[in-house]
Amino acid sequence: MKINLIDYIKKVGDATSLSALEQEKLESGLTEYMAMKPLRTVDSAQGKNYMEAKDSLFPGLFFMHSKRKYIPIAIILGLLLSGTASYAAEGAMPGDLLYPVKVGVNEKVVSTLAVSAESKATLEAKFAERRLVEATNLAVDNKLTAHIRAKLSDDFAKHADSAVARTKDLEKKNASIAIGLASNFESNLSAHEALLVQIDTQGDADDLVQLIRAKSHTIGELRMKAESGVYVRAHTSEDTSASSAIAAKNIEEVDTKERAALAMGGVAKTAVKDSAVLLARVSGNLEASANLNAQAQVKTASELLVKGDAFFEKKDFTSAFQSYQNALVAVKRLSVYLNVSKKVRINIFHPNEKALDDEKKNKSVENRQNTEGNSESRQVEDSSQIDIESKVHTGSVNVGGEGRVRVNVGI
Amino acid sequence: MKGSTEEAFLAVFREHYDGLFRHAFFRVSSREKALDLTQDTFIKAWDYLRGGGEVKQFKGFLYRIMHNLIIDEYRRKKAESLDSMSDERRAHIDADMAEGGVWETEEHIDEEALVVKVREQLTNLSPEYCSVVTMRYIDGFSPKEISQMTGETENTVSVRLHRAIIKLRTMLS
């Protein structure tokens, strides 16, 4: 029976459609996003443009920038009605009046935009990270009270647990993506843990640090379990044709380690590129020495990528993976540090438990020595010092509900 | 209360969301991911308008955004995709043989089963082939419009379409 294939391709297209429920959900998510980010308006009477963003001229933001704690309820309602509260709230910290809007409204709106299991898991991980950014910023200002710390710890744990649970579910459908999510989250937690350890010189946030470490271990275990189940069948055939300079491969079976290294390499390269872009964006706010050090960090990460590529070529996939992962965590740390809005003096280490433990031990030794009136510079392996003074408040973490995650596959 | 621009944008959404979803679905072979990509496309379009951008022709604009998002998705999943070289090779050989989109199939196979079979194999095409077939026969774009969206020459698009149909026919046979 002869059939016109093109007719059937068109029929296949016609038969594929969104359900009414899916369409409704998409439209409602988009509508909420449009309300959260309205178009710019022009005040024709005054001939000015009002930016409906954090540097807006709206009085609510003026009150915030003038550091007054009290914002009249009428202003808040006005902001809510006009849809601009969301922008004002994004920079809010625990204790600020608009913080409930940030958490209860903005994050909820963004949650509606997450449709797939992958994007939901990613979003929960991002929300968990936002709590850590808030804790870090408050710690820098010595405003991380026991009460706020407890609240942030609870919220962080809730989102981290949700991220773990969603990633676990996702693993059943797509192990590679789940491994990627887990690896990314683990790297972020490691970076935040290291940062908080350095900032919290009094040890007040030890419980939060321990919590971050515990969640990091949980997600690490999930990642390793998922990795052990990843397997793609392939075979390699050689083109024995005399005229062929390069053998054509039909890849049906890939060793787990090779696959893991390949995916981690891709992710690390994207992260290094993003870090360079972030640095270029904030470099104007950094002191010259801080800028140079940050650039050196990106360069180190790039060199680790080159090393990883060399190992990969030699088929030493374990070393390749490790190099790529070191590059990834190094730039993750840099990105976390660049996003902290206040002046901090920090060390950036190559990521491993021993280094973190050494750091804690050194800190307690340093504290004892300082108490005794001695000062001693710490010798830390593979470290670089960065002074970062951000002149612009950039404490918010982009939570765009993009639902996009980079694939990390670990060994 | 929504302004006229917001209403107009939502009207554009209602006109194109289904087509965009269909396009994404055939190119990424995942309903959930296709939903994500559809939403991301409209969000990016809205952000573009917010940034003061002007859009003369929404359909092409939206599909260009979607196409770029799908390319990003392919890059992200590069480790999982099959090497397309051998597909290209086979298509090149096939191009010398039979022509057109006529497909020889079993007798008495019903309509629904045929559609299912075609849908399955469509998603098994290489990304390049799936992309042009989807844009041409499901989205209804001309080869010229496809070349404008993808940056390929019109000739490349036409050749790729021809090879894709032959490849699909081979897979179905």
Side-chain angles (χ1 to χ4, degrees):
Chain A
M1 181 168 82
K2 284 191 178 6
I3 285 172
N4 190 312
L5 186 50
I6 291 169
D7 283 347
Y8 273 86
I9 294 172
K10 290 178 181 171
K11 280 179 185 171
V12 164
D14 292 340
T16 305
S17 191
L18 281 169
S19 67
L21 187 63
E22 284 168 334
Q23 186 260 323
E24 199 184 305
K25 194 165 180 196
L26 270 184
E27 186 165 342
S28 103
L30 181 64
T31 308
E32 292 198 44
Y33 184 83
M34 288 162 67
M36 194 168 82
K37 292 194 176 183
L39 289 173
R40 298 181 187 193
T41 55
V42 177
D43 184 325
S44 55
Q46 295 184 28
K48 286 182 191 175
N49 278 330
Y50 286 98
M51 289 288 293
E52 294 177 347
K54 55 187 174 186
D55 56 346
S56 157
L57 301 175
F58 278 95
L61 294 173
F62 168 75
F63 279 121
M64 279 188 66
H65 289 171
S66 69
K67 297 193 198 287
R68 292 189 197 185
K69 291 295 178 191
Y70 173 69
I71 300 177
I73 191 67
I75 299 293
I76 294 173
L77 287 174
L79 289 171
L80 280 169
L81 289 170
S82 69
T84 57
S86 50
Y87 273 119
E90 272 304 291
M93 298 297 285
D96 293 347
L97 267 172
L98 285 181
Y99 186 72
V101 175
K102 176 182 179 181
V103 173
V105 175
N106 291 6
E107 289 184 1
K108 251 200 182 111
V109 165
V110 170
S111 293
T112 65
L113 298 175
V115 177
S116 65
E118 181 189 335
S119 57
K120 285 180 167 103
T122 305
L123 210 50
E124 288 294 333
K126 280 189 185 284
F127 288 155
E129 195 181 339
R130 265 155 80 93
R131 301 294 88 83
L132 297 184
V133 169
E134 288 157 9
T136 304
N137 276 316
L138 288 172
V140 166
D141 283 341
N142 288 317
K143 287 180 181 172
L144 189 60
T145 63
H147 171 71
I148 291 176
R149 197 171 63 245
K151 183 75 178 68
L152 285 175
S153 296
D154 281 347
D155 280 354
F156 162 72
K158 182 185 85 185
H159 288 300
D161 289 344
S162 181
V164 168
R166 289 189 184 278
T167 307
K168 220 180 250 183
D169 287 341
L170 187 60
E171 192 220 332
K172 293 165 196 164
K173 294 179 208 173
N174 193 321
S176 286
I177 291 180
I179 291 165
L181 277 171
S183 195
N184 209 37
F185 191 29
E186 199 182 344
S187 300
N188 282 333
L189 291 183
S190 166
H192 279 288
E193 181 192 345
L195 181 58
L196 205 53
V197 159
Q198 293 190 55
I199 290 169
D200 177 41
T201 52
Q202 301 303 315
D204 292 334
D206 273 357
D207 49 351
L208 179 55
V209 169
Q210 293 303 324
L211 181 63
I212 297 170
R213 189 177 289 191
K215 299 303 175 192
S216 180
H217 275 136
T218 304
I219 199 78
E221 278 171 4
L222 172 63
R223 172 182 55 79
M224 286 190 283
K225 181 177 167 282
E227 283 162 14
S228 65
V230 168
Y231 185 75
V232 174
R233 289 184 53 79
H235 73 76
T236 302
S237 64
E238 284 182 277
D239 183 349
T240 54
S241 156
S243 63
S244 169
I246 300 169
K249 280 201 282 190
N250 286 325
I251 298 176
E252 293 176 18
E253 184 171 297
V254 178
D255 180 77
T256 302
K257 287 184 180 179
E258 179 183 0
R259 184 183 164 80
L262 184 66
M264 179 57 84
V267 168
K269 282 164 188 170
T270 304
V272 169
K273 190 179 142 202
D274 288 347
S275 196
V277 168
L278 172 63
L279 180 56
R281 207 176 72 222
V282 305
S283 62
N285 298 327
L286 302 179
E287 290 176 358
S289 56
N291 210 350
L292 280 172
N293 285 330
Q295 282 174 21
Q297 187 69 6
V298 172
K299 188 168 171 248
T300 301
S302 301
E303 284 163 4
L304 283 166
L305 290 180
V306 170
K307 248 191 209 174
D309 287 344
F311 282 130
F312 195 91
E313 284 298 308
K314 290 182 209 164
K315 299 195 186 303
D316 181 356
F317 301 123
T318 304
S319 300
F321 178 87
Q322 199 58 56
S323 265
Y324 292 142
Q325 192 175 47
N326 284 346
L328 174 68
V329 179
V331 291
K332 284 281 182 196
R333 288 188 179 206
L334 180 63
S335 298
V336 164
Y337 301 149
L338 291 176
N339 277 319
V340 171
S341 63
K342 299 290 162 30
K343 181 173 181 156
V344 290
R345 188 174 181 81
I346 50 173
N347 292 326
I348 295 175
F349 302 97
H350 282 307
N352 55 65
E353 284 282 338
K354 184 178 180 310
L356 281 172
D357 286 341
D358 287 348
E359 193 170 351
K360 290 216 84 165
K361 282 180 200 160
N362 287 339
K363 192 168 73 174
S364 56
V365 166
E366 194 178 303
N367 283 343
R368 280 204 301 277
Q369 288 174 337
N370 286 340
T371 307
E372 290 164 13
N374 293 332
S375 62
E376 187 179 306
S377 60
R378 279 185 280 163
Q379 298 297 318
V380 184
E381 192 180 340
D382 287 342
S383 70
S384 57
Q385 300 274 344
I386 289 190
D387 276 325
I388 296 176
E389 181 176 0
S390 299
K391 293 171 189 167
V392 174
H393 179 68
T394 54
S396 62
V397 174
N398 180 29
V399 184
E402 292 175 297
R404 193 163 290 115
V405 68
R406 287 158 176 81
V407 178
N408 292 336
V409 184
I411 295 177
Chain B
M1 191 159 143
K2 292 195 194 82
S4 58
T5 310
E6 284 85 350
E7 285 293 351
F9 188 76
L10 285 172
V12 166
F13 166 79
R14 287 171 200 132
E15 188 182 345
H16 293 294
Y17 75 82
D18 213 31
L20 281 163
F21 166 76
R22 231 184 332 267
H23 176 92
F25 176 76
F26 285 106
R27 291 188 63 189
V28 300
S29 311
S30 158
R31 197 174 185 87
E32 275 199 348
K33 181 47 72 174
L35 280 167
D36 262 349
L37 289 169
T38 305
Q39 182 145 91
D40 286 352
T41 298
F42 283 103
I43 283 171
K44 282 191 180 298
W46 180 250
D47 285 345
Y48 179 77
L49 291 174
R50 281 192 69 249
E54 279 182 31
V55 180
K56 288 178 186 160
Q57 206 264 359
F58 258 105
K59 185 179 178 184
F61 174 66
L62 290 169
Y63 276 85
R64 264 196 306 280
I65 295 176
M66 172 65 87
H67 177 73
N68 290 334
L69 286 172
I70 290 172
I71 298 297
D72 289 345
E73 182 64 21
Y74 285 157
R75 283 184 186 136
R76 191 170 75 76
K77 287 189 173 177
K78 194 178 173 186
E80 297 179 30
S81 68
L82 290 173
D83 192 305
S84 63
M85 236 166 78
S86 58
D87 286 337
E88 284 286 346
R89 281 194 176 190
R90 283 201 288 274
H92 185 70
I93 293 166
D94 288 343
D96 294 331
M97 297 169 67
E99 55 194 332
V102 175
W103 165 34
E104 191 77 46
T105 185
E106 305 147 23
E107 296 286 348
H108 311 302
I109 187 165
D110 71 19
E111 180 84 351
E112 209 175 300
L114 278 172
V115 170
V116 167
K117 211 167 168 182
V118 171
R119 184 196 295 136
E120 276 169 6
Q121 294 307 327
L122 196 51
T123 56
N124 285 334
L125 281 174
S126 70
E128 279 179 336
Y129 285 172
C130 185
S131 158
V132 288
V133 168
T134 303
M135 285 195 233
R136 180 76 183 97
Y137 300 119
I138 292 177
D139 302 328
F141 288 111
S142 67
K144 184 179 177 181
E145 285 169 323
I146 296 171
S147 81
Q148 285 167 353
M149 281 195 289
T150 59
E152 306 273 12
T153 64
E154 218 176 307
N155 187 54
T156 301
V157 169
S158 297
V159 167
R160 197 171 287 164
L161 260 174
H162 175 68
R163 290 179 177 179
I165 292 298
I166 289 170
K167 172 69 180 168
L168 187 57
R169 191 174 58 79
T170 308
M171 285 160 72
L172 285 163
S173 301

